[in-house]
Amino acid sequence: MKRLIALAALLVAAAALFVAGRTSGAEPLTLTIAGSRYTVTVLIDPPRTGAIVVDTRVTSGDADGMALSAVMPDMGHAMPELAAAEREPGRFVAEGELFTMSGVWDVSIRLTGPAGEETLTAKALISG
Amino acid sequence: MIRALLLAAVLVVMFAAPAAAHNVTAGADLRIAQTIAGAEVTLVIKGTSRVPGPLRIGVVAFERAAGLPVSLEVRSLTGGRTVKGVARAAADPEYAELRVEETGPHQLTLRAGDEVAVVPFRVLVDRGSAGDFLIYGGLFAAGLLLVGGLLTGAVSRRGPAMMLAAGAAAGVTVAAMVVVFEPMLPPGPPDGAAPTAQTQPAGGRPFAQARMETAPAGPAPGQEFTLRVDLTDGSTGRPVDDLVSHHEALAHVVVTSEDGRYFRHVHPLRTAAGRLEVRLRADRPGRYLVYAELEREDSGGQLLTGEFAVDGDPAGAATADLPAAVPELRPAVPVAGRPATIELPADGAVRPWLGMAGHLIVRSQDGSFLGHVHEMGTNGTRLRFTFSFPRPGRYLAWAQHATDGRIVTMPFTVDVAEPAG
Ligand SMILES: [Cu+2]
């Protein structure tokens, strides 16, 4: 009987994990944003506070410069811009700190190029 | 032990409910009033139950809008695909059907006359419930284990057979528990929902600040001009681009002349991030007061104020003042700080507008106070409002309701007495 209870408890725990798993994103975090001039795919690895690497590919549009910034709308926190270096045509990598606490952040990607400047924004869930 | 774990499971999913912002889900339409091309309309985006799937968009006509063609362009902000259509404004509109390919953030560009509005929204589609998975998963596992138990039992291995039978019982238990507790479990977040934190910060977002100006500056009487409201987040300095539909509009803007003879209640268009614009015309020179009522996501409503001037000689034929209404007041002389009831007959059959039967805007004579009161308990032929005027003195008031093809505005004044003693 004890075994039965233990097994049932295990199953319930697994069920809880499954339900919780549906709500939390996998790592690293990938965001695709289609603007009117540029489309980017942003890889945030890991989506956490502290030092991170943001690897961005410009999949549409000709960008020659990129800077990232973030705000946490619920708290009114704003972070300075992080310049991204163009590692190869259409691929930009930024390293540094973009998020200071866990929660939902608005990540802004400011792109420049012959077509003009455009800032693309997407929401990212950041863990502690 | 089981109970504790189950409770934990319930709690884990409780905090996953998405915040409703510009979400379009099946059964929950997004309604946004817009003042566009001189017309007053309400844009309706109906949800879809699947993607790829149809997104139905209609434009409900309220004033000077019947038959107005509104061109629609929906673009996915993740996939980048654009689809176009046209909606014709009508009291009971036909819905244009646009195909969306995915869930998540989209934007709708509206064009009517030479005006353009860009409305951001999210397409959400409900996923199958986690409960179903657990019920069928539990029963399926129970079935497998029972068969295993019978087979092992048949070859006389009592220990393992018991284990498998116990497992089967546990599977059935989980399924049964889910059947019982499923109604208590909120569904998982729908596909396309914005990410939400496990714990929602309390207190709401920072304040928004408005810069209000006209283009051109100091418009002449009778000349059409654009009133522009630029919203800035008080903590980050960024444009405020998270307005939710508050009483069916991104912002309710009331413009009155200092003397109260001019009154407009309009719904500006979002033309860029943090920017709202509406076209207006005023016949008389003077100072005009602007009040914008809006709500940021995860926050409450707020009122932002500004002003502008109309310069020059009065336009040739100024529009006539609206006839003053004579409302019934209870008490006959309202007392500051105590509820007063204002009742007046409707002009024509009342049609719900901005989610309510009627609206009452009250402004203190000096313009330092503005109230927006909702009609309570109409029978369709009369409007009734209850409001506690905060201070004694004269108030300018405008009662509004929609009827066939127009919005009725009834101006009057209310004199509020000081409480005795
Ligand atoms: Cu309004």
Side-chain angles (χ1 to χ4, degrees), chain A residues 30-34 39-42 59 121-122, chain B residues 77-80 105:
Chain A
T30 305
L31 306 167
T32 298
I33 322 167
T39 298
V40 296
T41 297
V42 185
T59 55
T121 302
Chain B
L77 296 184
T78 51

Side-chain angles (χ1 to χ4, degrees), chain B residues 269-287:
Chain B
L269 310 176
R270 176 190 175 277
T271 56
R275 172 165 287 184
L276 302 171
E277 292 186 323
V278 64
R279 304 256 182 106
L280 294 167
R281 207 185 286 272
D283 288 336
R284 295 181 184 86
R287 187 172 160 239

Side-chain angles (χ1 to χ4, degrees), chain A residues 23-122:
Chain A
T23 63
S24 57
E27 295 181 65
L29 180 66
T30 305
L31 306 167
T32 298
I33 322 167
S36 54
R37 290 172 178 150
Y38 310 97
T39 298
V40 296
T41 297
V42 185
L43 192 83
I44 302 174
D45 188 15
R48 284 184 191 283
T49 55
I52 55 163
V53 176
V54 183
D55 193 333
T56 307
R57 281 170 197 281
V58 182
T59 55
S60 152
D62 176 18
D64 54 29
M66 179 185 296
L68 295 138
S69 59
V71 294
M72 192 183 199
D74 273 320
M75 302 296 284
H77 293 332
M79 291 296 284
E81 264 195 347
L82 210 56
E86 189 165 13
R87 291 282 168 86
E88 57 195 76
R91 181 171 169 235
F92 294 82
V93 177
E95 289 174 49
E97 190 182 11
L98 210 48
F99 313 108
T100 48
M101 64 182 285
S102 62
V104 179
W105 288 74
D106 278 350
V107 180
S108 292
I109 298 107
R110 188 168 62 82
L111 295 136
T112 50
E117 186 175 304
E118 185 173 22
T119 300
L120 308 176
T121 302

Side-chain angles (χ1 to χ4, degrees), chain B residues 149-396:
Chain B
L150 286 175
L151 288 177
T152 357
V155 294
S156 324
R157 289 187 183 161
R158 285 204 53 147
M162 278 301 285
M163 282 284 289
L164 288 168
V172 172
T173 308
V174 166
M177 278 179 157
V178 172
V179 168
V180 172
F181 285 96
E182 153 107 278
M184 290 167 58
L185 296 177
D191 247 338
T196 48
Q198 296 280 317
T199 47
Q200 288 288 330
R205 297 199 170 180
F207 61 83
Q209 220 164 108
R211 179 190 157 82
M212 297 189 187
E213 59 186 10
T214 61
Q223 180 193 2
E224 188 182 65
F225 62 91
T226 299
L227 170 64
R228 181 173 297 150
V229 180
D230 282 322
L231 300 168
T232 305
D233 182 294
S235 286
T236 65
R238 292 230 191 171
V240 169
D241 202 26
D242 58 359
L243 300 185
V244 296
S245 184
H246 169 88
H247 295 307
E248 298 192 357
L250 295 180
H252 300 265
V253 169
V254 170
V255 181
T256 58
S257 57
E258 215 171 1
D259 63 6
R261 287 173 75 186
Y262 178 93
F263 171 88
R264 294 283 185 282
H265 169 184
V266 289
H267 303 99
L269 310 176
R270 176 190 175 277
T271 56
R275 172 165 287 184
L276 302 171
E277 292 186 323
V278 64
R279 304 256 182 106
L280 294 167
R281 207 185 286 272
D283 288 336
R284 295 181 184 86
R287 187 172 160 239
Y288 288 77
L289 311 177
V290 185
Y291 305 85
E293 181 186 346
L294 48 84
E295 181 181 335
R296 299 188 70 178
E297 196 178 320
D298 294 336
S299 305
Q302 52 186 314
L303 187 75
L304 302 168
T305 59
E307 62 172 271
F308 63 88
V310 172
D311 298 329
D313 293 326
T319 41
D321 289 346
L322 291 163
V326 184
E328 195 182 299
L329 300 177
R330 280 191 306 274
V333 179
V335 177
R338 300 205 194 129
T341 298
I342 298 166
E343 205 172 306
L344 68 174
D347 181 1
V350 172
R351 201 179 141 205
W353 180 48
L354 312 170
M356 302 281 164
H359 301 260
L360 174 70
I361 309 289
V362 296
R363 196 198 92 182
S364 60
Q365 190 154 37
D366 65 0
S368 64
F369 176 83
L370 188 95
H372 177 174
V373 194
H374 289 135
E375 204 279 339
M376 296 297 279
T378 183
N379 58 9
T381 60
R382 292 180 75 75
L383 302 176
R384 186 193 300 149
F385 304 94
T386 297
F387 188 66
S388 296
F389 290 90
R391 288 168 61 85
R394 172 159 288 193
Y395 289 82
L396 312 179

